[in-house]
Amino acid sequence: MKKRSAVFLGLLVLALHSVFADYNKSGVADSSEIRRNLVETWFEAPLSAVRMNRPEIRTNSIGQKFQVRLEESEDFFSVFVAPYARMEIDVYSDKGKSTEMQEVYPGDVPGSWVLVRDKKSGAPLRIRYYFASDSDVFVQFSPVNKTGCADFVCYNCYAARGVPTGLSFERFYTASFADIQKWTANILPWQYTQVYKDNYHSSLQMIEVIRAALPDIVFTDDAMYDEDGEPVYISSGKKRTVDEEDAGKITVSGAGFLKWIADGIVQPLTGTRLKRIPLLTETVQYKNTGFQGVLSQSYSLSFSLDWIRNLASAVISVRTRKNYLYNESGVDVSIEPFSAEFTERGLESTAGFVQNSGYSVRTLKPLLYVLAASEPETFYFAAIRSTDRRSPEVKVFNECAVIFPYFDNDGHFKCVLFKDGAEMSFDEFYSRYCMDSVFLTRAGCTEQFFPE
């Protein structure tokens, strides 16, 4: 009897281990077993019947709690199966504002499952799975001829859209997140969201070094430091005089600020800073015809693009001890992870990457999300292509920035951006340049970063 009991106990342990492994492999709370009992009363019942259902709390086999509830809008109604969480909630009373920890069931956190149906016909429109720490990243399935087609969405951009799964839409009523990962492993870009939280130490160190230096940086037009650390003009290379009130400060322009960062990587390795003339090497050839081509004969229309390409190429040349021209170094970011974006006006096609132009700033955040996941410990020099103030029909690269995308310890996407010797929030950058384009070049982060 003891032997049989031991065998039984062993099998039970293995079975429980299998259940827990399925739930915890991805770290996403799973409601699939709960949803198996909701199909008739919540997912397929008419809206009038669903309205009769009261919100209820159900628990899966490993004790995770979920709330099942109905939410309505003008044209749609949604059934949420949302996991338990504890959040700080601001409470207002006669005594003022206080903060309390309350039980909540958010509809857009990892483990949330949402079925959206048409209010008039009751037809299902889509099922959405939230699995990432960022609620703007999710996967959803829509019925097309009774087959479930998949969308993979990152910050309003489709990394995959309308991909046939070969499975009936109803399968997703009860499918776990582990199921859909398995079923779509070869058709959806899950690699874009494989976040390794400990891969950004060098990124964070560089960010803090730059932040610590910001109070000593004074934005100055056309200003940089040459290879000997002498203040010079970018345009001519001639020595410049620093105002007495700025003595001891770092006086640089936007481009000079990016060079200061690159020098902080190069100087510890070579003992010297980067030279000015190679950074001005032209990387774009314009046709002589047309207004833009004629203007390019007198003015540099690609200054900041040339600058960031040559900067990034110089950094990689020093680190690899091999001289690379910009077009040999692989520094240009030219990936095209998205097929389209959707906005309040509806679905819009995007051109993705455009040679010598870059990406629309509207798609920059999802692009940086993908880059943070696929290229950890990398930062990006950015050149901004804007409409010239003097000639609205001409687009020029005048301004530049540096961007550090990363994931924090909770798996949340973060993006630190510096421009013109100051830190700028991504929202402010987006608001200012959302109608423009941005070109990125990559450089590896390092702990051996000592800008002077």
Side-chain angles (χ1 to χ4, degrees):
M1 285 294 293
K2 289 184 179 181
K3 187 174 182 180
R4 288 184 180 179
S5 298
V7 171
F8 174 77
L9 181 60
L11 291 173
L12 179 60
V13 169
L14 287 174
L16 289 173
H17 181 271
S18 176
V19 170
F20 275 82
D22 185 52
Y23 278 114
N24 295 320
K25 185 177 180 181
S26 61
V28 176
D30 184 70
S31 63
S32 57
E33 67 183 81
I34 293 171
R35 285 184 269 118
R36 293 187 191 109
N37 298 316
L38 304 176
V39 176
E40 292 184 5
T41 55
W42 286 88
F43 305 160
E44 295 180 344
L47 176 57
S48 58
V50 177
R51 282 174 172 159
M52 299 296 290
N53 297 329
R54 297 176 62 84
E56 56 181 296
I57 306 300
R58 298 201 179 193
T59 306
N60 66 20
S61 61
I62 63 170
Q64 294 173 324
K65 293 193 295 185
F66 292 81
Q67 183 188 62
V68 186
R69 66 177 183 268
L70 167 70
E71 292 187 9
E72 297 186 52
S73 62
E74 184 176 352
D75 299 315
F76 313 109
F77 68 98
S78 303
V79 177
F80 285 80
V81 184
Y84 163 88
R86 284 180 61 82
M87 296 179 63
E88 289 187 351
I89 304 294
D90 290 335
V91 178
Y92 296 87
S93 65
D94 296 337
K95 298 179 180 179
K97 188 181 87 168
S98 61
T99 301
E100 297 179 0
M101 293 295 294
Q102 293 187 2
E103 291 189 6
V104 293
Y105 294 87
D108 59 356
V109 297
S112 295
W113 182 98
V114 189
L115 167 66
V116 180
R117 298 171 61 183
D118 182 82
K119 209 163 189 176
K120 290 182 178 179
S121 66
L125 299 177
R126 59 184 172 272
I127 290 172
R128 182 173 295 179
Y129 288 78
Y130 288 96
F131 61 91
S133 296
D134 296 277
S135 61
D136 289 308
V137 179
F138 54 84
V139 62
Q140 64 184 18
F141 301 88
S142 303
V144 179
N145 297 325
K146 297 185 179 181
T147 299
C149 289
D151 300 327
F152 199 103
V153 181
C154 293
Y155 290 94
N156 285 345
C157 282
Y158 286 95
R161 179 170 178 261
V163 180
T165 63
L167 301 167
S168 68
F169 179 75
E170 288 73 17
R171 295 277 304 265
F172 299 99
Y173 284 157
T174 58
S176 68
F177 180 65
D179 288 333
I180 67 167
Q181 279 191 306
K182 180 173 62 178
W183 296 341
T184 62
N186 297 322
I187 61 174
L188 293 183
W190 293 104
Q191 71 275 13
Y192 291 168
T193 58
Q194 291 178 348
V195 177
Y196 301 97
K197 304 171 188 176
D198 298 327
N199 279 5
Y200 304 94
H201 185 271
S202 295
S203 301
L204 296 173
Q205 183 164 322
M206 287 188 68
I207 290 168
E208 291 309 314
V209 170
I210 295 171
R211 280 177 173 161
L214 293 183
D216 292 324
I217 295 177
V218 177
F219 177 81
T220 308
D221 283 331
D222 195 25
M224 60 166 271
Y225 292 89
D226 66 13
E227 63 271 25
D228 298 318
E230 296 295 326
V232 299
Y233 294 103
I234 293 176
S235 56
S236 65
K238 294 181 180 180
K239 294 286 180 68
R240 59 185 173 86
T241 302
V242 177
D243 294 340
E244 185 174 338
E245 62 186 45
D246 294 330
K249 299 285 188 177
I250 302 165
T251 55
V252 288
S253 66
F257 175 62
L258 266 60
K259 180 182 183 296
W260 173 80
I261 291 173
D263 285 340
I265 298 173
V266 169
Q267 192 172 11
L269 299 175
T270 65
T272 186
R273 297 171 174 85
L274 296 174
K275 295 182 178 181
R276 166 186 160 272
I277 291 179
L279 299 180
L280 295 170
T281 302
E282 293 185 353
T283 65
V284 180
Q285 299 297 320
Y286 293 96
K287 295 180 181 180
N288 294 328
T289 58
F291 184 73
Q292 186 145 327
V294 172
L295 195 62
S296 70
Q297 305 304 307
S298 303
Y299 303 97
S300 174
L301 304 183
S302 59
F303 164 69
S304 63
L305 173 59
D306 299 335
W307 192 260
I308 68 162
R309 279 174 158 171
N310 294 320
L311 268 182
S313 299
V315 170
I316 196 173
S317 295
V318 168
R319 297 180 80 169
T320 61
R321 299 183 181 181
K322 182 178 179 180
N323 289 328
Y324 286 102
L325 298 176
Y326 90 91
N327 56 351
E328 302 170 330
S329 61
V331 296
D332 284 3
V333 176
S334 58
I335 64 171
E336 296 198 50
F338 306 113
S339 58
E341 64 170 325
F342 62 90
T343 67
E344 292 180 358
R345 298 188 302 274
L347 184 67
E348 296 182 359
S349 295
T350 59
F353 175 77
V354 178
Q355 184 66 30
N356 295 328
S357 179
Y359 302 87
S360 167
V361 171
R362 294 199 312 267
T363 62
L364 181 58
K365 191 169 187 178
L367 174 67
L368 291 170
Y369 184 98
V370 169
L371 290 171
S374 59
E375 302 181 8
E377 295 287 50
T378 304
F379 72 96
Y380 301 88
F381 295 117
I384 303 158
R385 184 173 185 258
S386 304
T387 300
D388 185 67
R389 291 191 297 270
R390 298 163 297 181
S391 306
E393 65 271 36
V394 175
K395 300 287 187 179
V396 294
F397 282 101
N398 278 335
E399 299 180 83
C400 51
V402 62
I403 306 174
F404 292 82
Y406 68 97
F407 291 93
D408 66 16
N409 290 334
D410 295 320
H412 292 106
F413 173 65
K414 303 290 184 180
C415 183
V416 174
L417 189 150
F418 300 99
K419 183 180 183 295
D420 296 342
E423 186 169 354
M424 175 184 286
S425 72
F426 186 88
D427 288 344
E428 182 183 353
F429 181 86
Y430 182 89
S431 177
R432 187 181 300 184
Y433 300 107
C434 60
M435 302 305 294
D436 299 323
S437 299
V438 62
F439 198 102
L440 303 178
T441 59
R442 54 172 65 86
C445 295
T446 176
E447 296 180 16
Q448 304 302 311
F449 177 59
F450 303 103
E452 296 181 356

